Structure formats: structure tokens, C-alpha cells
Amino acid sequence: GQNIDQPTEMTATEGAIVQINCTYQTSGFNGLFWYQQHAGEAPTFLSYNVLDGLEEKGRFSSFLSRSKGYSYLLLKELQMKDSASYLCAVRVFYNYGQNFVFGPGTRLSALP
Amino acid sequence: DTGVSQDPRHKITKRGQNVTFRCDPISEHNRLYWYRQTLGQGPEFLTYFQNEAQLEKSRLLSDRFSAERPKGSFSTLEIQRTEQGDSAMYLCASSPRGVSQPQHFGDGTRLSIL
């Protein structure tokens, strides 16, 4: 089966550094994506990892360890507008197509 | 790039009725996905098209659900004989070719079953 785990909720203070973890057990792994979703809105793409290591994009970084089935999203200098759900998604390949398996999301609240 | 468009934004219907949703992907995107999302959960995969071919369909999907993408452009998702448990946000996403290409999501259709 395909399974992705994330913490349900996190809270941090404005200006802090926040790490959101994601662990996965999937077959046919072919990349891991992070999305941000504000309440009532569509998910928007943040980052992508397919090889082990760290990818940095401004205040957001994402890390992947394929051998451990583990990823994290790092948010630096937390801002109030970062309050949202953060979704970890694994792309899996099948014989003829592909699928994206999403985790339950981590609801992050930024406090002043 | 006008983004992924979904119609309607909201649908309220009585149990047992049929509903159909439409998705217009970003024009140059050949891949199209349908997801269902309930409150506090991540999107749950329903089906995937590459051009007009439906290549994947979730085993969780009962035969009350059907999707089409007749000319490889827009897609429709139909739910027959709706049930209370079908109440959810239905999201459409599209992506271009390329393994590193992310999905672009529409704003979704919120379905409420009375």
C-alpha cells in the first residue's frame, strides 16, 4: 500500500524557523513534492525533490532521504501569511501512468 | 497562462441525483488529474489522463464515478446517484510533460449533498 505521514498541527512564532516532517512508504517512488494550501484555496507548488539532499528556494527549503523514506520542508523567517496547510505528495509510477499520493497535511499556525 | 478553471464552484444537490463537473486545464498541459478532498485531509487521487487517454483510476472509486477527456483538452467528472459521503471538494489539476513538473490546481468544485 501507499502511506504518507505528517504531523497534524504545528505552531510557531513569527520570525522562527519551522521544520515540517514527512515520512512515506510507497512503491514506484519518482519524486516528492511540497504544496501550500491556504484555507478554502487550491494547493500551490512549493518544492520538488527526486534525488537525496537539500533544495533551496528563497525562504523555503526541502530535504529528501530516499533510503529512509523521509523528507522535510524548512521555512525560515516565518511570516503570518505562512499560516496554511502544508501537503507532502509522492509521485508514483505505474506501467502506463502515474499517480500522486498526498499526505494528510500539516496545519501550521504562525503567532505574532 | 490563465490557470486551471473549474465549473461550477459550488454544487448543492439532493441525494440520488447525478452531477457533472467541468475542468479546463492550462492549454499546453497534456496531463490532467482529478482529486477529492475532505476537510482536514490531503487530496485523494481519483483519476489521471494523459491527453485523451485515461491511464489511471483509483480502486477506491466506485462505478458511480466516471470521467472523460474527449479531445485531450477539457475534462468532465460525473457522479451518478449521489450519496451523503460524496460531499467534498473536487479538485482538478494539470501538468505539462516532464518528470519535475508540478501540478497546477484549480480552485475546486465544492459538492454538498442534502
Side-chain angles (χ1 to χ4, degrees):
Chain A
Q2 316 279 22
N3 188 55
I4 298 180
D5 287 316
Q6 301 179 237
T8 305
E9 291 188 29
M10 296 181 69
T11 303
T13 306
E14 206 174 5
I17 299 173
V18 176
Q19 178 173 316
I20 302 174
N21 295 325
C22 169
T23 57
Y24 62 90
Q25 300 90 39
T26 61
S27 55
F29 174 90
N30 200 273
L32 188 143
F33 294 77
W34 284 94
Y35 289 85
Q36 180 190 61
Q37 186 175 28
H38 285 99
E41 298 182 9
T44 55
F45 169 72
L46 289 176
S47 71
Y48 166 72
N49 297 73
V50 68
L51 300 176
D52 290 353
L54 189 69
E55 293 287 337
E56 297 187 76
K57 287 179 69 174
R59 291 192 301 116
F60 294 88
S61 303
S62 58
F63 171 83
L64 175 67
S65 169
R66 289 172 296 170
S67 62
K68 295 182 179 177
Y70 168 69
S71 174
Y72 67 73
L73 180 71
L74 198 70
L75 288 78
K76 300 176 186 174
E77 300 168 14
L78 189 69
Q79 300 176 9
M80 297 302 293
K81 67 178 182 179
D82 296 331
S83 294
S85 283
Y86 290 85
L87 301 166
C88 171
V90 171
R91 180 173 55 210
V92 293
F93 273 3
Y94 299 106
N95 286 338
Y96 301 106
Q98 61 178 358
N99 178 11
F100 285 80
V101 181
F102 280 81
T106 298
R107 190 162 62 245
L108 175 64
S109 298
L111 303 177
Chain B
D1 180 355
T2 57
V4 178
S5 175
Q6 292 189 244
D7 183 70
R9 292 295 308 277
H10 303 276
K11 180 70 177 178
I12 301 173
T13 192
K14 293 181 179 179
R15 185 165 51 93
Q17 298 294 304
N18 298 344
V19 294
T20 300
F21 310 141
R22 177 180 171 122
C23 171
D24 287 88
I26 294 171
S27 59
E28 62 269 24
H29 288 186
N30 68 326
R31 295 170 177 170
L32 187 146
Y33 311 80
W34 284 99
Y35 294 89
R36 177 172 62 189
Q37 187 175 28
T38 53
L39 199 62
Q41 298 297 314
E44 176 189 18
F45 170 79
L46 295 178
T47 191
Y48 158 64
F49 290 86
Q50 186 164 303
N51 301 310
E52 66 276 8
Q54 187 175 23
L55 296 186
E56 290 292 338
K57 185 175 177 180
S58 170
R59 274 170 275 174
L60 300 174
L61 217 59
S62 76
D63 54 12
R64 295 186 299 108
F65 288 71
S66 62
E68 294 183 342
R69 194 182 183 197
K71 296 182 180 179
S73 56
F74 75 92
S75 176
T76 58
L77 176 69
E78 181 183 18
I79 309 174
Q80 297 182 325
R81 306 181 302 282
T82 52
E83 301 173 355
Q84 292 287 146
D86 296 332
S87 294
M89 176 73 83
Y90 290 83
L91 293 167
C92 176
S94 69
S95 68
R97 298 178 197 275
V99 293
S100 65
Q101 296 297 326
Q103 298 170 89
H104 298 254
F105 284 85
D107 288 332
T109 294
R110 181 168 296 284
L111 174 65
S112 298
I113 307 297
L114 301 177

